[in-house]
Amino acid sequence: MSRPLEAKGNLPVFCADIGGSFMKFAVSAMPGALTLLERVPTPAANWDDFCGALSALVTRHADKGDPASPLALSIAGLVDPRDGVATSANIPCITGRRIGDALSEVLGRPVLAANDADCLTLAEVNEGAGRGHDVVFCAIMGTGVGGGLAIGGKMVLGAGGVTGEWGHGPILNTMIEVDGETLHIPRFACGCGQSGCADTIGGARGIERLHQFLHGCEETSHGILDQWQAGEAKAGKTVSAFLELIADPLALVVNMTGASIVPVGGGLGSVTSLISALDVAVRKRILNRFDRVLVTPALRQDDGGLAGAAVLGHQGVRP
């Protein structure tokens, strides 16, 4: 259950987008405003150094906020809503820690933390493509596949912090039709330990995996998509197969959540023609037929983590 932070009025919010290599630090003076302040390396392996880096950032920019201003974090990992315990493969020093409480003790101010996909979702529903929509599902299609769900402008926090993770679960078809040809697709092994997950196909590495399977040659996702947009036949077959495979689970998500907009973040989300084709494929498969765009590039691609963390801080709730 969420509880309100003890804050005095509408204070400025410090926020950080923390990845395995770098952290971006910003301040949000009021909802909808965001000022980037610094970008520094992430001390991902050492807790004391991690705390020290955040403490130094807050100290250097203390004049931009208030002693009671909360710090809101977007992290590459999960935060369990039951107890605030974090799990992150890319930031190992936070794994197993009650991240908000632990940092609050060190920094002497309220600290909130959320998964980076959830933060992008918050950014999109409040200040991006999902603005004005009650139910928003944000699909992350980068190296792999993730997602987040927001209702009424707030995150939906599932058991264990897992919500919107449509990338995992053995749900892919193994036989599809592409240009009159029947293709038998194996259930590729997934890093989660299962086989046939959408994550094995739906991200950049998935497109590369599918291309190698279909054509026996290695190519980068950038190369495949460039060739597809230029009309090259092999790349066209790969992208057609990709759309057939990934539109099914995404349509299922729309049917189950009732989302009226699906902003797409991650590297593939910036390929407008690919997302437009995915939109058409998904809208053919859902029960509630939309005569407008449903699947669309996220508007906060570049600063979604920071913008979402700022929203989280201004909403003033934490696990």
Side-chain angles (χ1 to χ4, degrees), residues 18 47 50-51 54 73 75 78-80 83-87 91 93-107 111-114 318-319:
I18 304 179
W47 173 250
F50 181 83
C51 294
L54 286 173
L73 309 178
I75 64 170
L78 295 176
V79 180
D80 193 324
D83 52 21
V85 171
T87 304
I91 315 169
C93 72
I94 70 172
T95 294
R97 299 181 187 273
R98 296 177 184 264
I99 184 71
D101 291 342
L103 283 173
S104 184
E105 283 189 24
V106 174
L107 302 178
V111 177
L112 311 87
R318 65 179 177 183

Side-chain angles (χ1 to χ4, degrees), residues 176-272:
I176 57 175
E177 296 287 331
V178 174
D179 297 329
E181 180 184 1
T182 300
L183 300 177
H184 296 272
I185 308 297
R187 291 189 177 276
F188 296 109
C190 183
C192 75
Q194 301 184 88
S195 298
C197 293
D199 191 78
T200 66
I201 294 294
R205 302 293 83 78
I207 287 181
E208 294 166 359
R209 182 181 292 112
L210 188 59
H211 191 76
Q212 183 174 33
F213 171 76
L214 292 174
H215 307 296
C217 58
E218 293 187 3
E219 181 60 89
T220 66
S221 60
H222 295 288
I224 295 165
L225 293 172
D226 286 346
Q227 292 163 24
W228 167 62
Q229 292 177 93
E232 196 274 329
K234 288 184 177 179
K237 184 176 182 179
T238 298
V239 172
S240 293
F242 165 83
L243 293 169
E244 284 292 312
L245 289 163
I246 211 64
D248 284 354
L250 189 51
L252 178 61
V253 168
V254 173
N255 283 344
M256 294 188 69
T257 63
S260 58
I261 193 76
V262 181
V264 181
L268 297 185
S270 64
V271 185
T272 304

Side-chain angles (χ1 to χ4, degrees), residues 30 44 55 84 133 143 155 173 205 237 244 250 284 291:
M30 64 185 70
S55 180
H133 293 261
T143 301
M155 290 187 303
N173 282 331
R205 302 293 83 78
K237 184 176 182 179
E244 284 292 312
L250 189 51
K284 287 179 179 178
D291 57 4

